[in-house]
Amino acid sequence: MSQSVNEQTVNKDWVTLCGIHDLVANSGICALVAKPSEQGEQLEKQIAIFSIPDSEEKVFAVDNFDPIGQANVLYRGIVGSNNGEPIVASPLYKQQFSLKTGTCLQEEAEIAAYPTRIQDQAIQVYI
């Protein structure tokens, strides 16, 4: 059973998740990230990674867990923009989450959004 990553007990660092060629334009993939906590426990978290080539940032990473649908499904969502804000619409109830901030645009909910970078053709996420 997975345990949520508690950001207060895990040291943040750049983690390589995949290669740039593993991503499909305007779509998402999911990665399971495991990091040891300060107590030595292995914590796992699902991260949804999106490639949006036409945006300034090109790659976004957010939690894969949809807090409204209560399921790990966001990587299967539809990407787009809402008033210029890059978003993913949940495949369950269609709420839109900002890929920059993780804020839900229709309800009071949010997911974590992670900084990303492309380093030597690899996608790295700061978690």
Side-chain angles (χ1 to χ4, degrees):
M1 181 75 181
S2 301
Q3 185 176 3
S4 296
V5 173
N6 181 340
E7 294 183 10
Q8 295 177 346
T9 61
V10 175
N11 294 328
K12 289 189 170 189
D13 200 2
W14 288 102
V15 176
T16 299
L17 297 181
C18 62
I20 187 76
H21 301 294
D22 295 325
L23 300 177
V24 177
N26 301 310
S27 184
I29 64 170
C30 182
L32 181 63
V33 179
K35 290 188 73 171
S37 71
E38 291 180 357
Q39 292 78 30
E41 300 173 39
Q42 194 71 7
L43 304 176
E44 295 180 338
K45 184 166 198 67
Q46 290 188 23
I47 306 289
I49 307 145
F50 298 93
S51 169
I52 304 179
D54 294 338
S55 70
E56 183 177 326
E57 294 87 352
K58 309 287 185 215
V59 177
F60 297 90
V62 296
D63 280 342
N64 191 41
F65 187 76
D66 176 351
I68 297 163
Q70 297 291 302
N72 286 305
V73 295
L74 289 179
Y75 82 98
R76 300 175 78 182
I78 298 170
V79 295
S81 68
N82 186 333
N83 292 324
E85 182 80 13
I87 56 98
V88 59
S90 172
L92 295 178
Y93 300 113
K94 311 304 183 221
Q95 284 88 4
Q96 298 173 350
F97 294 90
S98 166
L99 291 173
K100 289 184 175 180
T101 65
T103 302
C104 180
L105 302 183
Q106 288 79 33
E107 299 190 30
E108 288 191 32
E110 69 179 18
I111 57 177
Y114 304 97
T116 63
R117 69 181 182 188
I118 301 171
Q119 191 80 15
D120 297 327
Q121 300 298 309
I123 303 300
Q124 294 185 329
V125 177
Y126 191 72
I127 54 175

